[in-house]
Amino acid sequence: MDPVISVGNLWKVFGSNASQVVASDELKSLSRQELMDRTGAVAAVRGVDFDVAPGEMFVVMGLSGSGKSTLVRCLTRLVEPTAGTIMFEGEDILEADAKRLRDLRRNKFSMVFQHFGLLPHRTVADNVGYGLEIRGVPRAKRGERSQEVIDLVGLTGYEKSYPDQLSGGMQQRVGLARALAGDPDVLFFDEPFSALDPLIRRDMQSEVIRLHREVGKTMVFITHDLSEALKLGDRILIMRDGQVVQVGTGDELVGAPADDYVRDFVKDVPRSHVLTLKWIMRPPRPEDELDGPELPPETVVREAVRSVLSADKPVKVVRDGELLGVVADEEILGVVAGEA
Amino acid sequence: MARHNVLGAVLVGALALAGCSGAKVGDSSSGAAGDCGTFNLAINPWVGYEANAAVLAYVAEKELKCKVTKKELKEEVAWQGFGTGEVDAVVENWGHDDLRKKYIDEQKTAVSAGSTGVKGQIGWYVPPWLAKEHPDILDWNNLNKYADKFKTSESGDKGQLLDGDPSFVTNDEALVKNLNLNYKVVYGGSETALIQAFRQAEKDKKWVIGYFYSPQWLLNEIKLEKVKLPEYKPGCDADAEKVACDYPDYDLDKIVSKKFADANGPAFQLVKNFKWTNEDQNTVAKYIAEDKMKPEDAAKKWVEANGDKVKAWLPKA
Amino acid sequence: MVAVAEPQQAPPQVSQPGPQQGSRPIYRSKALIAGGIVLAWLVLWLVFRNVGTLSLDASALTPLHRWINSVNDAVGASRNSNPLFLYFFNEIRFVIDEFVTFVQALIAQPSFGRPVPVIGWLGVVAIAGFVSLVVAGWRVALLAVAGFVFLGLQGLWQESMDTLSLTLAAVVISLLFGIPLGVWAGLSDRAHRVITPVLDFMQTMPTFVYLAPLTLFFLIGPASATIATLIYAAPPAIRITAHAIRSVPHNTVEASESLGATWQQTLVKVLLPSARKTIVLGINQTIMAALSMVTIAALIDAPGLGKTVVKALQTLDVGTAFNAGLAIVVLAIVLDRVTTAATERRKLPRWAMFGGLGVTGVAVYLSYTYLWAAEFQSDVEIGSSIRQGATAVTEWVQDSLPVITGGFKDFVTLALINPLQALLAESPWFVVALVIVAFSFLIGGLRPAVVSAVCLGLLVATGLWQDSMITLASTLVATILVMVLGVVVGVWMGRSRRADRVIRPVLDAGQVMPAFVYLVPFLALFSASRFTAIIAAVVFAAPVAIKIIADGVRAVSPATVEAATALGSSSWQTIVKVQLPMARRALTLAANQGLIYVLSMVVVGGLVGAGALGYDVVAGFSQGQLYGKGLAAGVAIVVLGVMLDRLTQAAAKRWTN
Ligand SMILES: Nc1ncnc2c1ncn2[C@@H]1O[C@H](COP(=O)(O)OP(=O)(O)OP(=O)(O)O)[C@@H](O)[C@H]1O
Ligand SMILES: [Mg+2]
C-alpha cells in the first residue's frame, strides 16, 4: 500500500541564516549545540525520513526539545520547513500555494493541540463547528455535523458550555471533536494529553484508541511519554536532538533498541507487557519435548505467562504451522524477574 | 416565558397610558431673525467683559431681533476668529498691541470700533488693610523698606511680587530690575491665584503685593489700593527691557471683524455706538459675580433701569 | 510610554537566586559610584553655582521661539487661500461638525425646529438603562439610571448631555481610527515601533499648546473640541488594542490556521473576539481620558459641563464649579462601570430583552412628544444644596486650615523642593547633564544613557533648560509623594477589601474631577506656589499609583502570604518582606505611571504658581508673541516625559529580573 505521508530528509532550522545551514554539508553534520555556537541557528529537525501507512497510528516520541512539535507542524506547514520533501497522498505539500494549503488543511488533515487552542469566546458547539464555518458550510449543516462529533467524543449535553466551564479532559475532547468535524484523512496530535492528570489521560487514550478503531483514520501522534507511545502506537519513531534514532513497533524498540539512548529509554518499561514471544523464544534444544501447547509469536509475554508456567513442557511458538521456536519457564521468568 | 411577555406588555401599556397626559412639545421655528441675522459675539474670560457682552447681547436680541451666538474664547483665539469668519466682535479689548499689529495692520481682518467708554488701569496693588496701616507703602520708593515682609517660600530672600494671568503684558520683571527693587516676580499663572491671594491677605492681614487691574469685580468686594510707580509718559515703555515707569491708562475699546464692519448691519451699528462707564460695568459685573445672576438677567435689570442710555446705541432707522 | 495603565501581565514568578546573589557586590559598587557622583555634583554646585544655568527671563525669547511664531503667523495668514485648508482640513471639520451636531440634536440641543432635542431626558435615561442592562447587567443598569437622573436633579441636564455628546463623538471617532491602528500595531512589529513614539507625543504634549492652532485649522466649534479631545483620548485605545492582540495566545491562532482559516478569518473570528475583553478596557480608558478633557476643551468654546466649571472660576464660585465637576464624576463613574462590566460574558433572558426594549421605546416616544418627559424639571433641586454645601466646606477649609497647611508647605519647600531645585537648576547645565547621563547608565546601561543624552540635548535646544530643571525638581518631589501615598494606601487597600470598596470611588473622583475645581481651595491653603502645583499633581496622579499597587498587593498569591503568616510573621513583616517585594512589578509600574500623570499636570501647575515650563505653556496660549516659547515648553515637557519614562522602564526591567 502507498504511504499516506512520506517524509524525506526534512530539515527545519530556526534563525536568520537557516538556508545557509542546510546548504552546507559541513554545517549540517554539526551537532545541535555546535551549530548553535557557530551560527546562532537552532536545528530543530535534522534530516528526518519516515513513511506513514494508511490507517496507521504513528507515534513520534522524544524528550522535551527534541523537535517533535516542530516536526509535526512542518507536516502541515504551520512551520515552514527549511529543506526536504513531504509527500501527502502523492502530492508534494511544499509545492502547495497558499490556497491549496488552505484546502488541504480544511479537508485533508487537522490537528489537536497540547494546550487545546480553543476559542474562549465560543461555545463548545461553535468551537467544534469552527472549521466548517470557515469553509463556508451553512449553519444548519454545521450544527448537525457538530452534534455528530460531539456525540462521538462523548460531550453530549455540553454543546452550550464555554471552554472555561469544562475540565481539562473535556476541553481536549472539544479539541478532538473540532479536528474530527471536518472529516479529515489524517489527524495530527501534538502531545494532546500531557496537560491532563493521569486518570483522565488514561480515559482519553482509550478514547483515541476507540476512535481510531471506529473511524479508521490515519493518525500521527506526538508524545514524550513512552507508555503512551507503546499503548497507542502501531509504530513509534524516536527522536533525539532533531534526528531519528529508531523507528519500529513497540516490541521492536524494547526487544532490539538501536542504541544506548533507546535502551535507556525503554529500561523501565514493564517488558512483559510489551515483548512478544517472538523476542524471547529460543530454538528448540534436543532435550525439549515438542508436544506442548502452541502459541503465535505475537502473543504478549504477560498473556503467555499462565499457559507457559502451567504447562510442564515448553510452549511451541508457531506461525502457519511452522515452528519458530520454543518458550519455557526460564525465558518467561527471565522477563518477569527482570522487571522487579 | 409567555407570562413574562404579557408582563412586559402590561408594563409598556401602563407606561404609555401614564404618559399620555401633559403638555405636548410645541414648534419653535417661529422667532426667526429679522434683517439683523446672526451676531457672533466672543466672550473673553473675565467678568467685566461678560458684563459688556451680556448687555450688548440682550439689546441685540430684544431690540434688533438678532440671533446672538456667544463664543467663549480667550483673546488670542477670539482675534484669530476674525479671519476665519467665526467671530464678529470683541467688546472689551485691553490694548493688545501685538494682536492689533497682527490682525488689524498685517492680516487686515479686524478693525477697531471705538472706545467702550471704560477706562482700564493696570498696576501694582496692595490690600486695603496694608494701605491703611502703612500708607507710605503706596509710594514705590518705600517698597524696599518692606521687602522683607513680603518674603514667601517662592521668593527666597527677596520680597514676592505676585503676577497673575499671563494674558496681559507685564513689564514687572523689567520694572523690578530697573527700579532696583529687592523683589522677585512670582508667576501665579491665573487670575484665580491673584484673587485668592488678595482675599486671604485682606482677611488674615497678610502681606501681599501683586499685579492687578481695574475695573475688576473683586474691587467691589475689596478696595485694593494701587501703588504709585514713576509716572507714565508716552514712549517710556517703548523698550521692554528698559521700562521704569507705570503702566499707561487703557482706553478699553471694541474690535470687530472687517467683514462685519463692512456689512454695516444693525448689530455692527450697535457695537459701534455702545459706550458706557466704569460704574455701569461695575454694576452689571456685581450682579453677575456677587449676586450670582445669570448674565441675561443681569443685563435685563440694567437695561430696564437705563433705557435712555440704551436708546442712544440703537441704529438710527 | 504608557500614560494609561495597561492591563498588567501576570508576573512570571521565576526566582533566580543564583545570579542575584552573584550580583550583590555589583550592587554595592554601583551604590558607591552613585554616591561618588552625587558628591562630585555637590562640590561642583558649590564652586560653579549659578554659572552656565542657561536661564531665560519670563518674557525673553530665543531665535527658535521667534521662528516658531513666524511660522504660526504665516500659517494663520494663508488660511483662506491655502488649498490644504480649503480641501483637506475643511472637509474633516465639516464631517466632524456634522456628526457632533447630529448627536447633540438627538439628546442635547433644540433641533429640527423643536424647542427641545429629539430625545428628552426620559428617553435618554431609558436608553442608558437599557444599554447598561444588556451589556452590564441589572446592578449597573440601576446605577446608570440613578446616575443620569442625578445629573438632572443637579440642574445640569443639558450641560451633561452636551458633554456626553461631545465625549461620545470623540470616543467613536477615536475608536474608528484607534482600533484598526491598534490591530495593525498588534500584528506588525514595525508598525508598533513607529506608532509608539507618536502616541507618547500625543499623550504628553500639553493640550494648551495645540488648542489655539487647532482652532486655526478646524475653526472654533465642535470639530476643534473633538479633535483636541481625541488627540489625548485615542492613544489608550490604540495601545491597549495592540497589547490585546499581542497577548492572544499563540496556540489559538495556530489552531485556527491549522483548520485552514485565511488571515482575515483568523483576525475576525479569533484575534478580535479573543482580544475583546482587553479592547473594551481600552475603550474604557479612552472614555475616561476624553472626560478628563472636558474643561480644557471648554477653553475653545466646547459646550457642556466644562464651560460651567470655567465660568464659575472667573468669580471663584467653587460651589457651582464643584456641582458641575461632580456631574463629570458621575458621568465618568457610570460610563466606567458600564464598560468594565461589559467585559463579562452575559446573556439576558428573552423577556427582559423584549420588555426592556418595549419600555425604552415607549419612554423615547414620550420624551419626543411630551414636554414633561423632554425637559428635566423637578421640584427636588439638589444642585443648589450641593453648591451651597461645597461653598460652605470650601470656606471652612479656607478659614481654618491655612495656618497648618502653610507651615507644611514651607517645610516641604525648604526641606525638599528648594534643595533639589537648587542642585538641578543652579548647577552648570553640562554638570547636570553629565550626572543624569551617568545615572542613566548606572540604572539601565548604554541604551538609556544614550536616550537621556539625546533628550538632554533637546532640552538645551528648546532654550528652556533652566525652566526644565525647575519643572523636573517639582516633578520628582511630586512623584515621591505619589509613591509614598501609593504604597501606604495601596497596601491598605490591597489587604482589606472593605478599605478598597470605600476608597476606590474616591480615587475615581480624584482622577476625573476637573483640577480647576480644587485649585481654588488649594490656592487658599498653600497660596500660589510650586507646592500647590505639586499637591494638585499628587491629587491627580496618586489614584493611579494607588490602584496599581493595591491590585499588585492583592495579586500576591494568598498561599505565599499564608506561608509567611504560618512562619509567624507580623503584619508589618508580611507587608515589608513578602507583599511589597512580590508586588515589585506593580511598584515600578506605579512609579512610571505616577511620573507620567504628574507630568501631565505640569500645565495646570503653571496656573497656580509653579512657574517654569507650566507657566511658559500657559503664557504661550494666552499671548501671541509667547506662542513659540509655549510650544518649545510643550516639547520640553514631552522630552522630559520620554526621558523619565524610558529611565523608569529600564530601572524596572533591571529590578524585576
Ligand atoms: N520558533 C522557534 N524559534 C527558534 N527556536 C525554536 C522555535 N520553535 C522551537 N524552537 C527550538 O527547536 C527545538 C525543538 O523544539 P520543539 O518545540 O519542536 O520540541 P518538542 O520536542 O516539541 O519539545 P516539547 O516536548 O517541550 O514540546 C527546541 O530547541 C526549541 O528551542
Ligand atoms: Mg512540543
Side-chain angles (χ1 to χ4, degrees):
Chain A
M1 232 187 319
D2 288 337
V4 189
I5 301 172
S6 174
V7 174
N9 197 20
L10 188 71
W11 279 83
K12 175 62 198 180
V13 181
F14 289 109
S16 48
N17 41 8
S19 51
Q20 277 161 282
V21 174
V22 290
S24 144
D25 283 333
E26 188 217 338
L27 288 177
K28 270 159 77 172
S29 65
L30 294 177
S31 81
R32 213 189 227 180
Q33 190 56 50
E34 284 165 346
L35 184 72
M36 175 80 182
D37 294 344
R38 279 262 301 265
T39 65
V42 181
V45 175
R46 304 162 66 206
V48 168
D49 290 284
F50 65 88
D51 289 347
V52 181
E56 183 176 13
M57 169 71 96
F58 188 81
V59 173
V60 177
M61 210 209 74
L63 295 179
S64 187
S66 57
K68 308 178 298 286
S69 297
T70 310
L71 174 63
V72 77
R73 279 171 175 71
C74 282
L75 300 184
T76 57
R77 279 182 59 192
L78 284 172
V79 164
E80 205 59 53
T82 318
T85 56
I86 301 170
M87 306 301 283
F88 180 82
E89 294 176 345
E91 173 186 1
D92 189 348
I93 290 199
L94 300 188
E95 299 289 301
D97 60 10
K99 184 168 177 314
R100 174 70 191 141
L101 189 60
R102 259 199 321 270
D103 280 349
L104 285 170
R105 288 178 183 167
R106 287 178 180 187
N107 301 309
K108 294 290 184 182
F109 37 69
S110 54
M111 192 153 167
V112 181
F113 298 88
Q114 174 173 4
H115 298 291
F116 319 142
L118 300 181
L119 306 177
H121 54 279
R122 289 170 166 245
T123 60
V124 167
D126 288 343
N127 261 293
V128 172
Y130 179 73
L132 302 171
E133 182 181 333
I134 57 181
R135 283 194 214 170
V137 176
R139 174 181 286 275
K141 255 195 67 223
R142 220 157 67 204
E144 238 169 73
R145 174 66 187 155
S146 307
Q147 192 60 54
E148 264 173 52
V149 277
I150 287 173
D151 295 343
L152 185 66
V153 300
L155 278 178
T156 316
Y158 290 96
E159 295 82 0
K160 295 236 156 13
S161 306
Y162 284 88
D164 57 8
Q165 298 165 335
L166 303 179
S167 70
M170 287 158 87
Q171 289 187 38
Q172 193 56 296
R173 282 172 201 261
V174 179
L176 199 56
R178 180 176 63 186
L180 286 170
D183 196 22
D185 295 354
V186 180
L187 280 167
F188 296 105
F189 296 83
D190 185 10
E191 302 202 22
F193 307 141
S194 41
L196 307 180
D197 61 47
L199 277 180
I200 311 270
R201 193 182 315 168
R202 215 168 55 203
D203 270 3
M204 293 298 290
Q205 287 164 351
S206 316
E207 192 73 23
V208 169
I209 291 173
R210 179 176 69 83
L211 284 171
H212 186 228
R213 218 180 291 126
E214 279 177 25
V215 298
K217 305 225 178 269
T218 310
M219 298 185 176
V220 175
F221 194 103
I222 309 289
T223 178
H224 63 237
D225 175 2
L226 184 67
S227 65
E228 186 167 83
L230 292 170
K231 184 167 172 188
L232 299 177
D234 293 327
R235 283 192 306 145
I236 298 166
L237 181 155
I238 295 195
M239 272 184 97
R240 177 192 187 188
D241 282 356
Q243 279 174 316
V244 177
V245 185
Q246 187 173 4
V247 188
T249 56
D251 53 335
E252 277 170 350
L253 298 183
V254 176
D259 61 7
D260 287 346
Y261 178 73
V262 182
R263 187 166 300 120
D264 200 39
F265 233 117
V266 299
K267 172 175 95 217
D268 295 327
V269 174
R271 297 164 67 87
S272 64
H273 293 210
V274 180
L275 285 185
T276 53
L277 296 183
K278 184 171 88 185
W279 295 100
I280 60 168
M281 66 191 183
R282 58 173 166 77
R285 293 190 204 117
E287 69 272 19
D288 287 338
E289 294 173 49
L290 290 179
D291 53 354
E294 293 180 3
L295 284 174
E298 287 80 25
T299 315
V300 180
V301 171
R302 189 175 51 164
E303 278 146 22
V305 171
R306 181 171 291 272
S307 19
V308 173
L309 293 185
S310 60
D312 39 9
K313 296 164 193 157
V315 168
K316 291 187 292 182
V317 182
V318 176
R319 181 193 284 142
D320 301 335
E322 185 194 348
L323 178 68
L324 301 175
V326 298
V327 178
D329 292 5
E330 58 188 295
E331 280 82 24
I332 290 287
L333 290 174
V335 173
V336 177
E339 283 171 5
Chain B
M1 183 131 40
R3 181 146 7 108
H4 286 311
N5 274 342
V6 172
L7 191 88
V10 169
L11 207 70
V12 169
L15 226 136
L17 273 178
C20 291
S21 57
K24 289 201 176 189
V25 170
D27 192 48
S28 76
S29 47
S30 53
D35 57 349
C36 172
T38 308
F39 172 30
N40 291 309
L41 181 56
I43 310 288
N44 288 173
W46 59 90
V47 180
Y49 187 109
E50 178 93 46
N52 287 17
V55 170
L56 271 168
Y58 182 81
V59 175
E61 269 177 351
K62 287 279 140 32
E63 303 286 335
L64 307 179
K65 304 279 182 255
C66 304
K67 182 174 183 321
V68 180
T69 318
K70 292 183 178 178
K71 299 193 172 168
E72 311 208 351
L73 304 161
K74 291 202 80 157
E75 301 97 294
E76 175 76 12
V77 181
W79 284 65
Q80 201 172 278
F82 290 141
T84 57
E86 301 194 280
V87 173
D88 292 331
V90 164
V91 295
E92 177 175 298
N93 172 54
W94 286 69
H96 277 307
D97 289 336
D98 54 328
L99 294 176
R100 277 175 190 279
K101 184 162 160 270
K102 186 163 156 190
Y103 294 100
I104 297 184
D105 300 343
E106 288 170 9
Q107 297 189 7
K108 303 199 191 310
T109 53
V111 291
S112 174
S115 166
T116 61
V118 178
K119 299 277 173 279
Q121 244 185 357
I122 294 179
W124 295 356
Y125 288 79
V126 292
W129 77 267
L130 199 54
K132 201 161 181 198
E133 278 184 26
H134 305 274
D136 60 338
I137 204 169
L138 296 178
D139 183 350
W140 70 273
N141 286 301
N142 301 321
L143 282 180
N144 274 344
K145 194 167 91 186
Y146 296 110
D148 268 1
K149 299 277 193 186
F150 288 109
K151 278 203 283 195
T152 70
S153 67
E154 304 308 291
S155 63
D157 48 9
K158 296 182 177 174
Q160 165 176 295
L161 174 63
L162 189 62
D163 261 36
D165 191 336
S167 291
F168 301 110
V169 183
T170 100
N171 304 323
D172 288 358
E173 266 182 19
L175 272 171
V176 164
K177 190 153 39 157
N178 299 331
L179 296 179
N180 286 321
L181 296 176
N182 192 22
Y183 283 75
K184 182 180 170 194
V185 180
V186 169
Y187 290 94
S190 58
E191 192 182 67
T192 314
L194 276 176
I195 294 177
Q196 274 295 43
F198 280 124
R199 268 196 176 159
Q200 261 197 320
E202 179 59 12
K203 186 165 61 73
D204 301 341
K205 299 222 179 321
K206 287 210 306 202
W207 288 72
V208 167
I209 178 168
Y211 176 101
F212 214 64
Y213 27 75
S214 88
Q216 218 286 354
W217 62 269
L218 180 69
L219 301 183
N220 290 334
E221 178 188 321
I222 304 169
K223 287 262 166 293
L224 298 180
E225 299 273 357
K226 189 166 182 294
V227 175
K228 225 164 82 62
L229 291 172
E231 199 184 331
Y232 174 82
K233 295 201 184 68
C236 76
D237 57 354
D239 184 349
E241 299 277 309
K242 302 217 174 75
V243 181
C245 60
D246 206 343
Y247 292 88
D249 282 348
Y250 287 91
D251 178 21
L252 306 186
D253 59 350
K254 302 154 290 188
I255 312 290
V256 296
S257 95
K258 182 104 188 350
K259 251 188 259 152
F260 184 63
D262 289 350
N264 200 13
F268 170 69
Q269 303 261 339
L270 171 68
V271 171
K272 203 177 71 181
N273 297 339
F274 170 79
K275 194 161 189 175
W276 61 354
T277 63
N278 284 41
E279 213 170 299
D280 293 327
Q281 193 196 59
N282 280 338
T283 309
V284 180
K286 181 174 167 295
Y287 293 158
I288 296 173
E290 279 166 61
D291 306 343
K292 308 248 178 268
M293 287 168 75
K294 281 196 189 148
E296 300 84 87
D297 302 338
K300 183 160 182 259
K301 186 165 169 189
W302 186 88
V303 168
E304 277 165 9
N306 294 274
D308 47 332
K309 281 194 183 174
V310 173
K311 201 162 286 162
W313 303 339
L314 296 176
K316 311 287 170 287
Chain C
M1 178 180 336
V2 197
V4 171
E6 285 194 0
Q8 287 176 67
Q9 292 149 342
Q13 304 277 0
V14 203
S15 61
Q16 289 168 317
Q20 234 163 24
Q21 269 163 9
S23 59
R24 200 132 300 140
I26 299 181
Y27 278 143
R28 195 166 304 152
S29 68
K30 267 194 180 172
L32 227 60
I33 298 175
I37 294 176
V38 171
L39 209 70
W41 188 8
L42 278 172
V43 171
L44 286 170
W45 172 72
L46 277 174
V47 179
F48 292 110
R49 199 166 166 195
N50 284 330
V51 178
T53 56
L54 305 183
S55 65
L56 190 70
D57 279 352
S59 49
L61 299 178
T62 70
L64 174 76
H65 305 160
R66 290 205 185 84
W67 178 76
I68 299 174
N69 283 343
S70 66
V71 171
N72 189 35
D73 289 351
V75 171
S78 73
R79 192 192 183 285
N80 290 332
S81 52
N82 193 325
L84 199 61
F85 279 100
L86 292 180
Y87 302 109
F88 182 67
F89 293 123
N90 276 354
E91 299 300 314
I92 296 180
R93 176 190 58 90
F94 179 74
V95 173
I96 297 182
D97 269 352
E98 287 293 301
F99 180 48
V100 179
T101 316
F102 174 71
V103 182
Q104 280 181 307
L106 280 186
I107 60 172
Q109 292 286 344
S111 54
F112 304 116
R114 291 154 48 86
V116 290
V118 175
I119 305 174
W121 72 268
L122 188 68
V124 174
V125 169
I127 293 174
F130 180 63
V131 171
S132 311
L133 178 66
V134 173
V135 303
W138 283 109
R139 290 159 62 105
V140 178
L142 255 140
L143 176 80
V145 168
F148 273 70
V149 171
F150 183 76
L151 297 176
L153 293 177
Q154 279 184 292
L156 292 169
W157 181 259
Q158 191 188 347
E159 289 85 345
S160 304
M161 288 307 107
D162 273 326
T163 291
L164 185 66
S165 311
L166 205 70
T167 307
L168 286 182
V171 168
V172 166
I173 299 172
S174 295
L175 298 181
L176 223 55
F177 291 97
I179 291 187
L181 275 176
V183 169
W184 187 37
L187 295 174
S188 146
D189 283 333
R190 182 158 344 142
H192 196 239
R193 264 200 304 278
V194 173
I195 288 178
T196 305
V198 177
L199 299 184
D200 291 349
F201 200 81
M202 287 164 75
Q203 278 183 299
T204 37
M205 178 55 107
T207 317
F208 274 70
V209 172
Y210 52 79
L211 219 42
L214 267 184
T215 61
L216 195 59
F217 285 66
F218 301 106
L219 304 187
I220 300 153
S224 290
T226 308
I227 291 173
T229 306
L230 75 86
I231 289 178
Y232 183 68
I238 302 177
R239 280 186 213 279
I240 296 178
T241 302
H243 172 80
I245 294 284
R246 273 163 196 274
S247 26
V248 172
H250 178 66
N251 58 40
T252 46
V253 177
E254 193 177 39
S256 167
E257 277 174 15
S258 85
L259 289 164
T262 59
W263 80 264
Q264 292 96 326
Q265 285 176 324
T266 304
L267 178 66
V268 174
K269 291 174 191 277
V270 179
L271 283 172
L272 287 180
S274 307
R276 204 199 83 203
K277 259 187 176 185
T278 318
I279 293 180
V280 172
L281 282 183
I283 297 176
N284 171 291
Q285 299 277 319
T286 290
I287 295 176
M288 295 301 118
L291 276 176
S292 72
M293 289 290 291
V294 166
T295 32
I296 293 195
L299 295 177
I300 48 171
D301 200 41
L305 295 165
K307 254 190 191 174
T308 314
V309 172
V310 170
K311 228 180 185 136
L313 280 183
Q314 286 170 21
T315 56
L316 273 64
D317 182 354
V318 182
T320 303
F322 178 80
N323 192 35
L326 189 63
I328 299 177
V329 172
V330 169
L331 266 179
I333 289 183
V334 168
L335 292 176
D336 173 72
R337 300 302 186 262
V338 171
T339 41
T340 309
T343 58
E344 309 289 310
R345 186 165 52 218
R346 84 187 68 243
K347 192 139 175 56
L348 208 59
R350 249 179 134 84
W351 64 267
M353 190 81 187
F354 285 115
L357 210 55
V359 172
T360 308
V362 171
V364 169
Y365 170 75
L366 292 178
S367 77
Y368 177 81
T369 318
Y370 293 100
L371 214 48
W372 65 267
E375 281 184 324
F376 200 101
Q377 269 149 355
S378 155
D379 306 331
V380 217
E381 220 269 280
I382 52 175
S384 54
S385 342
I386 294 175
R387 282 195 290 271
Q388 282 157 13
T391 307
V393 169
T394 313
E395 265 162 19
W396 178 81
V397 165
Q398 292 182 356
D399 284 349
S400 40
L401 293 185
V403 192
I404 317 164
T405 52
F408 182 58
K409 173 198 81 173
D410 288 343
F411 172 74
V412 175
T413 308
L414 286 179
L416 218 54
I417 308 176
N418 282 352
L420 195 59
Q421 179 174 325
L423 261 183
L424 282 166
E426 291 172 10
S427 305
W429 71 271
F430 46 87
V431 172
V432 179
L434 266 178
V435 168
I436 293 179
V437 171
F439 267 114
S440 309
F441 185 77
L442 275 185
I443 290 173
L446 195 59
R447 255 183 82 99
V450 172
V451 172
S452 294
V454 171
C455 288
L456 292 165
L458 283 173
L459 287 184
V460 173
T462 59
L464 295 166
W465 173 267
Q466 194 176 41
D467 282 355
S468 303
M469 289 304 115
I470 296 172
T471 295
L472 178 60
S474 296
T475 303
L476 292 178
V477 173
T479 309
I480 293 171
L481 294 179
V482 165
M483 283 309 284
V484 170
L485 260 177
V487 169
V488 173
V489 183
V491 167
W492 184 28
M493 281 170 66
R495 290 169 59 89
S496 152
R497 286 253 166 220
R498 174 132 30 111
D500 191 292
R501 254 202 308 282
V502 175
I503 297 175
R504 208 164 269 265
V506 179
L507 299 181
D508 289 342
Q511 258 177 305
V512 282
M513 177 64 85
F516 291 88
V517 176
Y518 50 79
L519 288 182
V520 175
F522 280 10
L523 279 167
L525 295 181
F526 310 111
S527 350
S529 65
R530 285 161 296 162
F531 185 77
T532 310
I534 287 174
I535 290 295
V538 169
V539 169
F540 181 63
V544 189
I546 293 173
K547 283 183 193 172
I548 294 175
I549 293 177
D551 293 343
V553 168
R554 173 139 331 116
V556 171
S557 109
T560 321
V561 176
E562 202 174 27
T565 317
L567 289 171
S569 306
S570 65
S571 296
W572 173 250
Q573 284 170 323
T574 311
I575 294 172
V576 172
K577 295 192 188 289
V578 179
Q579 286 175 313
L580 279 181
M582 288 189 68
R584 241 179 346 196
R585 190 174 286 258
L587 284 176
T588 52
L589 184 66
N592 177 283
Q593 294 294 297
L595 258 172
I596 304 299
Y597 273 67
V598 166
L599 267 178
S600 69
M601 288 289 281
V602 164
V603 174
V604 170
L607 296 171
V608 290
L613 293 181
Y615 178 82
D616 293 337
V617 171
V618 173
F621 176 58
S622 306
Q623 278 186 56
Q625 72 263 40
L626 291 181
Y627 177 74
K629 193 177 187 182
L631 177 64
V635 171
I637 292 174
V638 173
V639 168
L640 275 179
V642 169
M643 185 172 89
L644 293 171
D645 171 72
R646 300 302 190 264
L647 213 56
T648 43
Q649 281 191 8
K653 222 188 240 157
R654 283 279 157 112
W655 194 40
T656 46
N657 286 341

